[in-house]
């Protein structure tokens, strides 16, 4: 099978970051927009080369007139491509009101709930979403502005537990080009246009200015992201080396280096709790023997050169 | 002596980052603009509290009508404050043409040449410049856009060899406020307005948009910078641990971790050579035993788990 440049790029990215292997069973999140239709076409082609299995999950948000016809469109494309298709209708507005979250967040929560549900039901092991390089650097900028350390600056990650993003290596221009060249049909997925305030400012006002300073600014962001993905791996290795996982607690060995702070943050994430900020983390590290701090429902006790972390 | 909040902030920053101690002899770079006049006043006050010694260096760029009166203004202020004053006249345009660099770069080179000259002549040990938080985050943004790794993302550094930047913890607003409250006189240092294209775009077009996304975006950048300064220290420690310095070569021990790449970059900097990019660094690390690569006049030979770096 001959791969186009766009597909080769994604194939190389998948291989470099060990995103998929031939035994994987991958659920693709497909809204029907150009990003996810590209994902569907590329992954359908690569499944034949690489040997993995794919299915499609489409959440019908029932938020616009075209929602049902979008669903049919994705279903029919899947039939043509002989890819199993799963869908579900949800009521985003009710969820949004009930859980007091914005419509964007409600939609995302419901989407991932549905993806995980389907993943378990099919005994699949991976979810793939169509996030691309523009999403990546927009997230990086947003994180920098809102406040992030090095770990969080990685923005979107190619593979993290079940969730994969094999298209982070291609930008929106390349996607538009790919759908045009290959006559790939797609729906105008208005959710992409209803980005929130910050993302709109970044996409339509800030990045055009970036482009004036360096027309190849996307490469700069992508390269930095790759370096940070490597850094995250190093942090995770250090966490493995320096942590002992107990029944309902964690013991962390402090080594008086830069990674102490990162490892404390990972411990919070392991308990699904929001990690402390830089100043709080410093205070934890500097506690005297026997000292105790409680942050975000997690209690931390200093024992000589170790921390006992409990929920 | 009672310190104002602005001065306390700088004092704390100096202490936290061990920028100065009581035995230091510090040469202040003072153009006469509000940033460096604030530096002069704060350092003059702190020299009495902390015990260090200061002098002022003023380079007369001879580029504008007011250049000589600026020089007199700084000289007179120094006389009032009883701070030794040193100045020199240079011809920026000739240097710029002769060395084929822009006027900005020419000015900076000549300035630092003069600072180092004066430093040696007086047997002083530190240079302090008036770079502030706005300079810091503008540099961070510029570096991100042009391409940087984690190490370079630190932008400006509080202390690096002789060069110190004790005002990185205060922003332009705070400086304006300080000169107003204290009736500190200053000259309109037009060099600050003749920033280059990129910096103007960042200062006048990009950061106002950042402000709309997060009014406290400066704190986000400053916090990230502080984390990266810590990271740089860690990289330097790792370099010390893993390098052996020979007569005209360096031996680096590879440990198959994230820091291998960073340490290779530091080795280039030690030889005052521009470090290789991410892809080139990867290739160096992945060489087989006996492999040789030459990059930016530096030759690197792989010997088992070590690299021999020679100029």
């Amino acid at each position: 099978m001959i791969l186009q440049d766009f597909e080769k790029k994604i194939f190389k990215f998948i291989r470099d970051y060990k995103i998929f292997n031939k035994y994987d069973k991958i659920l693709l999140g497909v809204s029907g927009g150009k990003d996810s239709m590209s994902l569907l076409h590329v992954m359908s082609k690569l499944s034949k080369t690489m040997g993995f299995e794919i299915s499609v999950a489409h959440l019908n948000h029932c938020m616009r007139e075209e929602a049902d016809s979008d669903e049919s469109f994705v279903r029919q494309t899947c039939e043509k491509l002989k890819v199993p298709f799963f869908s579900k209708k949800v009521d985003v507005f009710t969820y949004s009101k009930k859980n007091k979250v914005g419509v964007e967040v409600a939609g995302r929560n419901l989407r991932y709930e549905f993806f995980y549900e389907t993943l378990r039901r099919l005994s699949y092991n991976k979810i793939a979403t169509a996030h691309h390089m523009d999403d990546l650097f927009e997230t990086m900028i947003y994180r920098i502005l809102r406040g992030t350390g090095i770990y969080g600056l990685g923005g979107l990650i190619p593979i993290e537990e079940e969730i994969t993003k094999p298209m982070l290596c291609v930008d929106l221009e390349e996607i538009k080009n790919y759908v045009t060249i290959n006559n790939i049909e797609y729906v105008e997925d208005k959710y992409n246009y209803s980005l929130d305030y910050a993302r709109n400012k970044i996409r339509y006002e800030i990045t055009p200015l970036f482009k004036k300073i360096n027309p190849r600014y996307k490469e700069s962001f992508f390269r930095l992201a790759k370096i940070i993905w490597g850094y995250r791996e190093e942090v995770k290795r250090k966490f493995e080396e320096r942590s002992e996982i107990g029944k309902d607690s964690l013991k962390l060995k402090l080594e008086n280096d830069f990674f102490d702070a990162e490892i404390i943050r990972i411990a919070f994430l392991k308990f699904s709790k929001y990690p402390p900020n830089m100043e709080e983390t410093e205070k934890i590290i500097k506690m005297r023997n026997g000292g105790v701090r409680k942050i975000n429902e997690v209690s931390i006790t200093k024992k000589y050169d170790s921390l006992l972390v409990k929920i």
Side-chain angles (χ1 to χ4, degrees), chain A residues 25-60:
Chain A
K25 296 178 170 198
I26 308 156
L27 189 64
L28 314 178
V30 177
S31 68
K34 62 172 105 51
D35 307 352
S36 59
M37 290 309 285
S38 298
L39 176 72
L40 171 55
H41 280 85
V42 172
M43 290 291 285
S44 159
K45 217 161 160 185
L46 292 184
S47 69
K48 285 156 198 145
T49 324
M50 296 187 66
F52 52 67
E53 200 176 307
I54 58 170
S55 285
V56 159
H58 173 88
L59 190 70
N60 186 331

Side-chain angles (χ1 to χ4, degrees), chain A residues 69-196:
Chain A
S69 76
D70 289 358
E71 181 180 332
S72 310
F73 162 72
V74 179
R75 182 192 309 273
Q76 283 160 17
T77 312
C78 287
E79 277 165 15
K80 273 186 237 161
L81 292 170
K82 298 192 174 60
V83 174
F85 172 86
F86 302 89
S87 69
K88 185 184 176 178
K89 282 182 165 52
V90 289
D91 181 347
V92 180
F93 292 118
T94 306
Y95 179 97
S96 158
K97 268 181 225 154
K98 204 173 143 190
N99 295 280
K100 295 186 179 101
V101 291
V103 175
E104 284 277 331
V105 174
R108 195 181 53 218
N109 288 355
L110 285 165
R111 221 151 45 234
Y112 279 91
E113 243 174 49
F114 170 58
F115 291 163
Y116 276 107
E117 235 172 70
T118 313
L119 191 83
R120 310 275 177 247
R121 193 151 51 84
L122 298 175
S123 298
Y124 265 37
N125 65 329
K126 276 175 185 158
I127 293 164
T129 63
H131 292 92
H132 49 68
M133 202 188 284
D134 290 57
D135 294 320
L136 172 65
F137 69 73
E138 285 164 11
T139 304
M140 291 171 79
I141 298 162
Y142 185 70
R143 294 256 179 104
I144 292 175
L145 295 180
R146 299 294 306 183
T148 183
I150 302 173
Y151 195 86
L153 185 56
L156 307 173
I157 314 297
I159 174 163
E160 183 129 78
E161 307 201 343
E162 291 97 341
I163 308 279
T164 66
K165 298 184 175 65
M167 302 219 313
L168 288 180
C169 61
V170 290
D171 71 10
L172 203 46
E173 276 310 302
E174 292 173 294
I175 290 172
K176 283 180 187 165
N177 207 19
Y178 182 71
V179 294
T180 307
I181 289 174
N182 295 282
N183 286 311
I184 293 171
E185 285 183 85
Y186 60 91
V187 297
E188 280 300 337
D189 181 0
K190 293 229 182 72
Y191 302 119
N192 282 338
Y193 295 91
S194 73
L195 294 165
D196 64 7

Side-chain angles (χ1 to χ4, degrees), chain A residues 277-288:
Chain A
N277 67 22
M278 191 178 141
E279 289 79 11
E280 285 167 339
T281 312
E282 274 306 303
K283 282 182 191 158
I284 293 172
I285 293 171
K286 285 182 179 156
M287 281 195 293
R288 53 171 179 67

